[in-house]
Amino acid sequence: MRRLRRQAGLTQAAMAEVLAISPSYLNLVERNQRPLSASLLVKLAESFDFDPRALAAGEPGGGEAGIRRRLADPMFADLEIDRNEVEEWLAGAPGGAEAFARAYDRIGAGAGPTETSDPILEVRREIERWRGYFADLDAAAEKLADELRLGAGDLYGAIVERLRVKHQLTIRILPVDVMPDLLRRLDLHARQLQLSETLDPASRTFAAAFQLAQIEARGEIDALAKGAGFADRAAERLYRRHVASYFAAAVMMPYARFLRACEATGYDLELLQRRFGAGFEQVAHRLTTLQRVGARGLPFFMVRVDRAGQSSKRFSGASGSPLAEAEGRCPLWRIHHAFDRPGELAVQLVELEDGGRWLTMARTVTPQGRRYGAVPAEFAVGLGVAAEHGGGLAVARGIDLKGEATPIGVGCRACLREKCPQRSAPPVGRALLINERERGVSPFTFGGD
């Protein structure tokens, strides 16, 4: 409430007048001494640009789970900070909690203040600051997509023609022997965008749209990069690549049409792929960006991991899900099982320690450009939404979203679940208890707060 009021530039008295409540009551709400009632929530939504889901998604530092994950670092073990202290901190000083989270993430998970900044982490933080949605960029991409659709039904052909006529760039598909280690290359001397023959149709369209983004959305991209204020050149270039890719995906899956298709099909991933000529990973990422004011989609998160559990992509969008925020992952989450059944969608209802329930989907993807005899790279893309929002999903048919769910955590070192037979390590900050007379189902027994 306090953040919303300050963003609107209002005093407590002015905001109280808009909401038809007393300034003293508003003061108590802001100090977390009165609950936010349903009627007041409705008034907020009607009077301000406010999405009630932001109450969860916008919690400082990722909320209690995010702060506890950071406090699980061994450097804080001797402080013995319990859950109640974290709750009081978030309620009494949310700005301080967010500052701690940013500072911890900036120096890199216990690496110390002399550690150089991580450009990938910096870019991810900037993306999260926008909650994964770039309104001006999305609007420009949607306008361009409409123009291209008027010219031709084939999006790839329309982009190729626009590049040729308006920008004097031709697209040439080259044999893999000519371009063995590249998927895309811009040859300004020859005025060619050269694409590898190993790219599938969806990836060719994306590569062509990406090139169009770098030319026609340069102003929007420059503004976003300047606003981010990266000190590291590598971070700025990585961020530019991300927003250009965002534009390309928005051209392939224009916001209004894509959202209508999502709602009409129950967010059927396979149908969405076919309807928009996109890949599974492209559709999954697009689902995390549907945050247009007045036309929001469901708040999905997405992660991409390899067989070792290392993540190469994490987008929490507006979900605020610990499954996207956390560094670790639980082996009981079926995203890891997806590798056993390549190409099949694994659906699972999971429940975290805090009681949050998530409907998740996972499927393997193979990088473009794969050749026989080369390294067989493979990833699993996980997608999820809070169970309370999952009732209308096509994949939820036959699943009782209030029924039994798989209890999982966010990695053994941050998980406090007891008696877990899958546990590989005790949680950080908890005393390890050893009893030579007993052996439980879990190899590690630990003390409480």
Side-chain angles (χ1 to χ4, degrees), residues 345-396:
L345 192 67
V347 182
Q348 184 184 26
L349 180 65
V350 300
E351 182 172 321
L352 297 176
E353 285 184 86
D354 62 3
R357 296 164 70 89
W358 300 86
L359 181 63
T360 68
M361 299 141 268
R363 207 202 81 173
T364 56
V365 295
T366 303
Q368 293 293 301
R370 179 175 176 178
R371 301 174 63 192
Y372 291 108
V375 176
E378 189 178 36
F379 298 92
V381 169
L383 190 66
V385 69
E388 63 195 76
H389 299 311
L393 298 187
V395 297

Side-chain angles (χ1 to χ4, degrees), residues 91-429:
E98 176 65 19
F100 159 74
R102 292 185 187 182
Y104 178 87
D105 294 341
R106 176 65 64 97
I107 66 175
T114 59
E115 180 78 9
T116 57
S117 61
D118 180 351
I120 296 176
L121 181 59
E122 287 187 41
V123 169
R124 183 166 175 267
R125 279 294 172 197
E126 182 63 15
I127 294 169
E128 287 180 350
R129 188 170 74 85
W130 289 90
R131 297 175 72 185
Y133 172 65
F134 302 93
D136 292 344
L137 204 61
D138 221 309
E142 188 169 34
K143 181 180 178 181
L144 175 58
D146 289 340
E147 291 179 20
L148 294 171
R149 190 170 63 153
L150 290 175
D154 171 28
L155 179 61
Y156 175 72
I159 295 175
V160 169
E161 185 66 8
R162 189 177 183 99
L163 286 171
R164 184 185 68 82
V165 174
K166 190 170 182 178
H167 305 293
Q168 293 75 53
L169 275 176
T170 59
I171 291 183
R172 186 179 180 187
I173 309 299
L174 292 179
V176 68
D177 294 336
V178 176
M179 205 161 63
D181 301 317
L182 293 174
L183 300 178
R184 171 179 55 85
R185 178 172 60 197
L186 177 62
D187 187 338
L188 289 174
H189 179 72
R191 302 298 299 174
Q192 286 182 351
L193 174 62
Q194 299 167 348
L195 303 180
S196 171
E197 65 178 347
T198 62
L199 293 176
D200 63 20
S203 297
R204 288 187 185 183
T205 302
F206 185 86
F210 180 89
Q211 185 58 54
L212 205 53
Q214 291 187 311
I215 300 172
E216 299 200 13
R218 180 179 295 275
E220 290 87 350
I221 293 173
D222 286 346
L224 286 167
K226 183 178 180 181
F230 293 113
D232 186 273
R233 180 61 174 159
E236 181 182 334
R237 287 182 172 177
L238 187 61
Y239 183 64
R240 284 177 175 274
R241 186 173 73 180
H242 174 83
V243 293
S245 296
Y246 182 103
F247 185 91
V251 169
M252 292 177 66
M253 295 167 275
Y255 196 102
R257 276 191 282 148
F258 185 73
L259 180 58
R260 284 197 300 268
C262 288
E263 294 174 342
T265 65
Y267 290 79
D268 189 310
L269 299 173
E270 188 172 342
L271 279 177
L272 292 171
Q273 283 181 250
R274 293 178 179 177
R275 188 170 297 184
F276 291 91
F280 179 83
E281 187 174 337
Q282 292 169 342
V283 169
H285 186 188
R286 185 60 168 147
L287 289 177
T288 70
T289 69
L290 303 180
Q291 291 301 306
R292 179 176 289 177
V293 174
R296 287 185 167 92
L298 295 182
F300 280 91
F301 72 84
M302 171 194 154
V303 297
R304 188 180 74 177
V305 301
D306 60 19
R307 282 183 176 271
Q310 302 171 113
S311 65
S312 49
K313 286 185 179 180
R314 286 190 289 158
F315 301 111
S316 56
S319 71
S321 175
L323 292 170
E325 294 287 342
E327 295 293 337
R329 266 155 295 283
C330 180
L332 298 177
W333 186 18
R334 286 186 192 159
I335 188 173
H336 305 286
H337 301 188
F339 292 106
D340 298 332
R341 295 179 177 273
E344 293 186 18
L345 192 67
V347 182
Q348 184 184 26
L349 180 65
V350 300
E351 182 172 321
L352 297 176
E353 285 184 86
D354 62 3
R357 296 164 70 89
W358 300 86
L359 181 63
T360 68
M361 299 141 268
R363 207 202 81 173
T364 56
V365 295
T366 303
Q368 293 293 301
R370 179 175 176 178
R371 301 174 63 192
Y372 291 108
V375 176
E378 189 178 36
F379 298 92
V381 169
L383 190 66
V385 69
E388 63 195 76
H389 299 311
L393 298 187
V395 297
R397 293 167 189 158
I399 298 177
D400 181 3
L401 297 178
K402 295 184 178 179
E404 185 177 355
T406 304
I408 70 171
V410 289
C412 291
R413 301 297 280 173
C415 178
L416 300 178
R417 290 191 188 278
E418 300 178 348
K419 302 176 183 178
C420 175
Q422 187 66 64
R423 181 173 286 281
S424 299
V428 172

